[in-house]
């Protein structure tokens, strides 16, 4: 596809949830008048992590920055049309707050949950620690023989329509003048400590003022074009939709089993998912499923935790990818110290969709004004990666 211009103030590599979020937020920055291009190799987004997401949001993190990010995310979802300029064509988004249920089967993990609950509550989140007896009284369908306690929060925590949010990021970005091009970045041109241009598979060369790496599971590949490196790799995550012969008489919270398997209500059906038993890096286009995992791993865990799910029927399944940050499973955001106009937007490790409103806004602020204004995202900087210092987050799924 031929681009409209040969020079852009901002070029975003990747047009999925983050490329489109940053692009739209840039159009909301007062005083910013730059020309914006989003380059996306596959506008169907068939293999984007965004297209395979389970679309949930939680307040239940242990790090105050992650909690604040989710609090803004919940506000954004609940006031989506207002954020989109009260355009009557923009749909309202619902946040189905059945909450996350983190189950602890050891005293050490129960103590972590209690500590996290105090941090969350101090920041206004509605998380409650529940004893085994309290869980049984509220949700009698769980088998809790091995469970000590849990954290649960039914305020601004649960499912939302992430696909619609993504669609309107794209639509409104285009409406506000952002250009999208179907092409693939094959090389970067550097001059001193700056990226000055990109080479595309189509043969075109473009100059740019700022380059944003929003390439998802291919983010490491784009960084390498600039001589940079980040500890981000694609990893498979499995999702299953199943019907129950004996459905529960209330919503199933998004339950995090101690095994790492999660399950929740999904309309009239139920959703479950998690990692494979072995979790290596894979090729960015490897979505081949191990179909034995359902009967050998997921179904036994589901039926053990909820005996009422002994008789269930698999309706659908798919394999998605995390852009997995092997250092600390948290985002890498902002400029590289040695290449100031190369900005990272990578490594979300499964938190990406729920964090896209806040992190997209923050990166747009940094591009437009040279600093974060709404929420300090410096803890996610690439400097921590270069120093090997982890962003401490105990609640990683």
């Amino acid at each position: 596809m031929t681009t409209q211009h040969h020079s852009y103030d901002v070029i975003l590599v990747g047009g999925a949830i983050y490329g489109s979020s940053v692009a739209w937020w840039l159009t909301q920055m007062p005083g910013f008048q730059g020309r914006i291009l989003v380059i996306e190799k596959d506008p169907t987004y068939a293999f984007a992590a965004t297209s395979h997401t389970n679309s949930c949001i939680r307040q239940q993190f242990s790090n105050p920055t992650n909690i604040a990010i989710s609090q803004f995310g919940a506000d954004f979802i609940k006031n989506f049309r207002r954020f989109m300029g009260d355009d009557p064509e923009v749909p309202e988004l619902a946040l189905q707050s059945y909450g996350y249920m983190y189950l602890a089967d050891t005293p050490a993990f129960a103590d972590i949950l209690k500590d996290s609950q105090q941090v969350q509550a101090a920041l206004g989140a509605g998380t409650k620690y529940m004893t085994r007896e309290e869980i049984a009284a509220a949700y009698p369908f769980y088998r809790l023989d091995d469970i000590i306690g849990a954290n649960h929060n039914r305020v601004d925590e649960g499912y939302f329509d992430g696909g619609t949010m993504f669609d309107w990021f794209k639509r409104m970005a285009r409406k506000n003048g952002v250009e999208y091009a179907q092409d693939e970045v094959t090389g970067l041109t550097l001059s001193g400590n700056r990226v000055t241009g990109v080479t595309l598979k189509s043969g075109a060369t473009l100059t740019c003022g700022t380059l944003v790496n929003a390439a998802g599971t291919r983010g490491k590949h784009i960084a390498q074009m600039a001589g940079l490196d980040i500890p981000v790799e694609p990893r498979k995550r499995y999702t299953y939709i199943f019907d129950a012969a004996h459905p529960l008489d209330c919503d199933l919270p998004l339950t995090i089993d101690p095994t790492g398997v999660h399950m929740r209500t999904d309309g009239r059906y139920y959703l479950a998912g998690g990692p494979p038993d072995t979790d290596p890096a894979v090729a960015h286009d490897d979505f081949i499923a191990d179909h034995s995992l359902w009967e050998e791993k997921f179904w036994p865990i589901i039926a053990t935790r909820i005996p009422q799910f002994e008789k269930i029927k698999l309706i659908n399944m798919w394999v998605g990818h995390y852009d997995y940050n092997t250092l600390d499973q948290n985002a890498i955001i902002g400029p590289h110290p040695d290449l100031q106009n190369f900005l990272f937007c990578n490594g979300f490790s499964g938190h990406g969709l729920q964090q896209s409103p806040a992190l997209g806004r923050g990166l747009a602020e940094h591009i437009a004004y040279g600093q974060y204004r709404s929420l300090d995202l410096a803890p996610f900087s690439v400097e921590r990666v270069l120093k090997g210092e982890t962003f401490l987050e105990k609640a990683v799924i």
Side-chain angles (χ1 to χ4, degrees):
M1 177 182 293
T2 304
T3 58
Q4 296 177 18
H5 307 279
H6 296 292
S7 179
Y8 293 86
D9 296 282
V10 181
I11 293 179
L12 298 112
V13 184
I17 190 67
Y18 272 93
S20 292
S21 174
V22 175
W24 174 77
W25 275 111
L26 277 169
T27 70
Q28 305 303 297
M29 297 291 115
F32 180 78
Q33 301 294 327
R35 186 181 292 160
I36 305 164
L37 172 68
V38 177
I39 300 171
E40 171 55 50
K41 63 179 294 187
D42 178 17
T44 71
Y45 302 97
F47 296 111
T50 300
S51 301
H52 299 95
T53 179
N54 292 342
S55 292
C56 287
I57 186 169
R58 58 185 165 109
Q59 313 295 310
Q60 290 191 63
F61 289 93
S62 66
N63 189 291
T65 302
N66 273 338
I67 297 168
I69 287 169
S70 285
Q71 288 174 326
F72 176 71
D75 181 58
F76 186 85
I77 292 164
K78 293 189 298 181
N79 296 283
F80 186 60
R81 181 181 289 172
R82 175 173 61 81
F83 276 100
M84 291 282 166
D86 286 317
D87 188 320
E89 292 187 7
V90 176
E92 299 284 3
L93 291 184
L95 204 173
Q96 300 178 21
S97 294
Y98 43 65
Y100 280 56
M101 178 74 77
Y102 270 89
L103 298 174
D105 61 346
T106 66
F109 189 39
D111 287 342
I112 289 174
L113 290 181
K114 291 175 183 177
D115 291 344
S116 296
Q117 187 276 333
Q118 292 180 10
V119 175
Q120 293 155 19
L123 293 173
T127 312
K128 305 294 183 185
Y129 179 80
M130 302 174 71
T131 65
R132 177 167 54 192
E133 292 72 26
E134 289 170 331
I135 302 167
Y139 298 99
F141 48 76
Y142 289 121
R143 188 188 71 80
L144 299 169
D145 298 358
D146 59 331
I147 298 301
I148 294 172
N151 275 359
H152 189 215
N153 175 17
R154 295 199 63 177
V155 181
D156 292 344
E157 186 167 276
Y159 169 82
F160 69 100
D161 187 349
T164 294
M165 185 173 75
F166 170 43
D167 183 48
W168 282 93
F169 274 146
K170 291 183 296 180
R171 290 191 190 199
M172 297 303 278
R174 285 192 174 101
K175 182 177 180 179
N176 294 342
V178 174
E179 184 182 345
Y180 278 68
Q182 180 182 356
D183 214 322
E184 182 178 351
V185 174
T186 56
L188 301 178
T189 303
L190 310 181
S191 179
N193 65 347
R194 298 185 65 80
V195 179
T196 57
V198 303
T199 301
L200 303 181
K201 189 174 183 178
S202 63
T205 57
L206 308 171
T207 60
C208 67
T210 297
L211 185 110
V212 179
N213 180 359
T217 56
R218 299 182 74 251
K220 183 182 182 75
H221 176 62
I222 299 300
Q224 288 173 337
M225 292 181 184
L228 308 175
D229 192 30
I230 49 174
V232 174
E233 59 191 33
R235 293 199 181 183
K236 291 182 181 179
R237 290 297 179 266
Y238 284 73
T239 299
Y240 301 92
I241 305 296
F242 63 91
D243 197 4
H246 305 289
L248 307 177
D249 59 4
C250 66
D251 283 339
L252 173 62
L254 198 156
T255 303
I256 313 300
D257 192 79
T259 60
V261 171
H262 62 265
M263 60 197 89
R264 66 165 170 86
T265 290
D266 190 60
R268 62 155 292 193
Y269 298 119
Y270 298 92
L271 178 150
D277 289 324
T278 57
D279 192 20
V282 298
H284 71 272
D285 57 354
D286 176 5
F287 290 87
I288 298 172
D290 179 352
H291 292 285
S292 70
L293 285 173
W294 172 246
E295 292 197 0
E296 294 179 3
K297 175 180 180 176
F298 288 94
W299 185 10
I301 290 171
I302 293 165
T304 298
R305 183 59 60 203
I306 302 177
Q308 204 166 323
F309 285 165
E310 177 63 32
K311 294 182 179 180
I312 56 179
K313 178 182 179 182
L314 187 62
I315 301 296
N316 192 16
M317 69 84 61
W318 63 86
V319 175
H321 283 173
Y322 276 6
D323 55 330
Y324 192 87
N325 178 356
T326 60
L327 176 67
D328 58 21
Q329 294 83 65
N330 278 274
I332 303 171
I333 294 289
H336 193 281
D338 298 329
L339 207 59
Q340 284 290 321
N341 69 334
F342 185 106
L343 273 64
F344 291 95
C345 191
N346 307 100
F348 298 97
S349 305
H351 307 150
L353 200 80
Q354 63 183 296
Q355 294 187 330
S356 62
L359 299 191
R361 176 188 63 176
L363 204 55
E365 290 172 345
H366 201 289
I367 293 167
Y369 311 125
Q371 62 181 346
Y372 301 118
R373 291 189 171 182
S374 302
L375 182 62
D376 183 13
L377 301 180
F380 295 108
S381 72
V382 73
E383 278 88 342
R384 84 179 193 279
V385 177
L386 299 176
K387 297 175 183 177
E389 298 175 352
T390 60
F391 177 97
L392 183 59
E393 175 55 65
K394 299 175 182 178
V396 173
I397 300 174

